[in-house]
Amino acid sequence: MINVIGGGLAGVEAAWQAAKLGAQVRLYEMRPVMQTPAHRTDRLAEIVCSNSLKTDEPGTAPYLLKEELRRGGSLVMEAAAATRVPAGAALSVDRVKFAELITERIEAHPNIDVIREEVTSLYVGAQAASLQNDGDGSRQAACGPTIIATGPLTSDALTLEIMKFTGDDQLYFYDAIAPIIAAESIDMSIAWKAARYDKGGADYINCPMDREQYERFIAELLEAKSVPLKRFEETHWFESCLPIEEIARRGPETLRFGPMKPKGLRHPKTGKEPYACVQLRQENLMADAYGMVGFQNHLRYGEQERLLRMIPGLENAEFLQFGQIHRNTFINSPQILNETLATKAEPNLFFAGQITGVEGYVESVATGWLAGINAVRTLRGEPLITAPQTSAIGALCRYVSNVETKNFQPVNITFGLLEPLPVELRKIHKRKRERHMVQVERALVDWDEWMRSLQTRGDGDAEKRRATP
């Protein structure tokens, strides 16, 4: 039996991969018995921030990560394809249908038992309470392989247990959620539809600002009242998901070169780029809700309503969701995890998802994918696997397990994490985009070969698999 704690993106992927390999899986999800500050439903794989899984443009690092998962039989990528909404080159989903589809698939799988209860111990199972931990991993071994995939909103009780296991009490940073607006309340006589540089279709709603409007907005933003942070003395922001008010404090032009960047957006009436521009991305297949791209914040709701209605085209905006803040929890993975995602102290215990220090939906899925496969291999007494060195999944797992830094921080997949091309190929392909295309092509060739080798090894163990409970 394999235990997966957490029914988010990493947890469902881990459970699915393990179940596909014939293992019996118990998937624990505390909602709706216990809710989190950010979730709204009891569905598995509910996404609470942006509905975008980032770019799916060939030749990019995020594309490579998605393609590896697609070729690896990922449940989450299959659901994303089935619930995709228009978003230019990005892969964005109808978050409600996406979660519903994954919940249906998981609950219908004969090898997966979904248990709705809060888990407060790393040692799951009826025997765990009576076992003494003698330091050699016997308690974890008796419970079977366990994958901790509780994500950025791990409950307080389980967080304390993780802190005891890791010996580190600095396991958090803050993250923020962007507002969502009813489509019919957006004034399309001011706003217009287009994608940046016309990539994809006209999938984004764009609200233009002139210089005076932008400077007035920044002045009001800097004076707006925020929700006070509680329970923690110090705030650790993730740099790739800063609240807009934090960005504005770094300088009056920072938002105009960040989420309000007008580059690549020409107004259809003037043919010119506005001074600044706010983009909104379609949230669902009905196209009746749009999320504000990059506008995560932790302002008071009344302040958000007042401030965001200063944006041209949003004067009468109806807010379906206001921005909000939540705590993200992650472990100091380089000290704790192997590249297989098993812990160094207890080989039967795995971590997956954002709690490992990967940032992003697809990155979380990738670690769940590998942890699920390796948990089965542990159960069968088989050697654990690591993804190819040239692959995106391999790069992520290598980073969280091996990076040398005194201040370990979460990362998204980038080419900076991937194994570079040999010098001779870099001399041939001097342009960055060309080098990236070659890296992607090389990675997918290595990935396909590796996947075939896994299937060949698996066929040889068919009888052993049938005998595994």
Side-chain angles (χ1 to χ4, degrees):
M1 178 68 70
I2 291 173
N3 303 299
V4 179
I5 305 175
L9 295 173
V12 297
E13 190 65 51
W16 185 260
Q17 295 305 322
K20 275 203 327 180
L21 291 171
Q24 295 296 312
V25 179
R26 287 182 295 217
L27 175 60
Y28 292 85
E29 170 53 53
M30 68 180 184
R31 293 176 295 116
V33 177
M34 182 177 178
Q35 278 290 3
T36 76
H39 289 88
R40 294 185 171 190
T41 76
D42 63 352
R43 298 185 190 97
L44 302 174
E46 178 186 350
I47 53 179
V48 298
C49 295
S50 165
N51 70 325
S52 173
L53 278 65
K54 298 188 178 176
T55 184
D56 202 15
E57 185 176 0
T60 64
Y63 163 82
L64 173 60
L65 186 62
K66 293 179 182 69
E67 188 61 20
E68 289 171 7
L69 286 167
R70 284 188 281 251
R71 297 183 186 198
S74 165
L75 169 66
V76 173
M77 295 311 300
E78 182 182 333
T83 60
R84 186 170 191 162
V85 298
L91 173 57
S92 296
V93 302
D94 181 319
R95 66 177 78 205
V96 174
K97 293 184 182 299
F98 173 79
E100 285 177 346
L101 177 57
I102 289 177
T103 302
E104 290 171 6
R105 296 289 300 278
I106 290 288
E107 290 182 340
H109 199 292
N111 289 354
I112 301 175
D113 183 15
V114 179
I115 302 172
R116 300 282 186 166
E117 65 180 47
E118 181 189 4
V119 173
T120 59
S121 171
L122 301 181
Y123 308 98
V124 186
Q127 296 174 300
S130 62
L131 290 169
Q132 298 297 316
N133 187 6
D134 57 8
D136 64 358
S138 61
R139 182 159 65 164
Q140 183 61 54
C143 299
T146 297
I147 302 170
I148 307 296
T150 44
L153 297 171
T154 301
S155 71
D156 290 348
L158 189 56
T159 296
L160 288 173
E161 290 299 303
I162 293 171
M163 287 164 63
K164 292 177 185 177
F165 178 79
T166 62
D168 190 345
D169 63 356
Q170 296 298 311
L171 295 176
Y172 63 90
F173 66 108
Y174 283 100
D175 204 355
I177 297 172
I180 297 175
I181 295 173
E184 63 181 5
S185 69
I186 301 170
D187 187 348
M188 295 304 295
S189 68
I190 298 174
W192 83 98
K193 283 192 169 185
R196 203 177 297 278
Y197 298 107
D198 296 321
K199 289 185 177 180
D203 298 333
Y204 291 79
I205 292 178
N206 301 279
C207 300
M209 280 186 173
D210 59 28
R211 182 168 187 162
E212 181 182 350
Q213 291 168 329
Y214 175 79
E215 290 178 347
R216 187 165 61 247
F217 176 82
I218 295 300
E220 291 291 329
L221 175 60
L222 291 172
E223 294 296 323
K225 295 179 180 178
S226 298
V227 177
L229 303 178
K230 299 179 181 179
R231 299 171 54 206
F232 301 102
E233 299 84 9
E234 189 178 356
T235 304
H236 302 280
W237 296 112
F238 177 51
E239 288 293 316
S240 294
C241 197
L242 286 171
I244 56 171
E245 62 272 26
E246 296 295 326
I247 298 175
R249 290 189 184 104
R250 298 184 176 188
E253 293 288 290
T254 49
L255 276 172
R256 201 168 73 86
F257 286 88
M260 298 176 71
K261 178 174 64 177
K263 200 72 174 173
L265 295 168
R266 295 192 177 277
H267 198 289
K269 294 180 181 178
T270 66
K272 299 179 180 179
E273 292 178 354
Y275 188 77
C277 193
V278 176
Q279 284 199 306
L280 296 96
R281 179 176 50 231
Q282 185 176 326
E283 281 284 326
N284 55 23
L285 291 170
M286 295 289 290
D288 58 3
Y290 277 76
M292 301 186 71
V293 178
F295 259 62
Q296 55 275 357
N297 70 87
H298 65 114
L299 301 174
R300 294 180 184 274
Y301 287 176
E303 291 282 72
Q304 289 188 51
E305 189 169 20
R306 176 186 67 82
L307 185 72
L308 299 179
R309 283 180 175 171
M310 292 176 63
I311 298 170
L314 302 185
E315 292 87 350
N316 298 304
E318 177 189 345
F319 294 92
L320 304 178
Q321 171 183 290
F322 284 108
Q324 58 181 286
I325 186 172
H326 59 86
R327 185 192 74 194
N328 274 4
T329 304
F330 66 99
I331 61 174
N332 190 5
S333 290
Q335 293 185 14
I336 297 160
L337 296 182
N338 290 312
E339 205 168 322
T340 61
L341 301 179
T343 62
K344 297 174 182 178
E346 295 190 0
N348 265 29
L349 182 62
F350 296 79
F351 281 84
Q354 281 187 268
I355 199 168
T356 66
V358 296
E359 174 62 25
Y361 297 145
V362 184
E363 287 86 342
S364 295
V365 174
T367 56
W369 183 90
L370 186 65
I373 293 172
N374 272 334
V376 175
R377 298 182 73 86
T378 296
L379 189 68
R380 296 173 179 162
E382 299 171 357
L384 302 191
I385 59 172
T386 57
Q389 291 293 299
T390 55
S391 69
I393 294 179
L396 283 170
C397 294
R398 186 166 59 248
Y399 172 84
V400 299
S401 61
N402 291 306
V403 66
E404 295 182 5
T405 176
K406 293 180 180 179
N407 183 29
F408 176 64
Q409 287 294 309
V411 294
N412 299 107
I413 187 62
T414 66
F415 280 106
L417 296 182
L418 292 174
E419 187 174 276
L421 291 175
V423 175
E424 57 271 22
L425 285 179
R426 292 203 298 271
K427 289 180 179 178
I428 297 172
H429 304 284
K430 295 184 179 180
R431 295 179 60 187
K432 183 188 294 185
R433 181 162 178 79
E434 287 181 6
R435 292 199 301 271
H436 288 172
M437 289 294 293
V438 173
Q439 280 182 282
V440 169
E441 291 168 1
R442 177 189 66 172
L444 291 176
V445 169
D446 291 349
W447 182 264
D448 288 343
E449 184 178 343
W450 182 68
M451 289 297 299
R452 284 193 295 271
S453 73
L454 289 182
Q455 293 166 0
T456 302
R457 279 184 273 172
D459 290 342
D461 291 333
E463 188 172 334
K464 185 176 183 180
R465 284 203 306 278
R466 285 194 293 270
T468 300

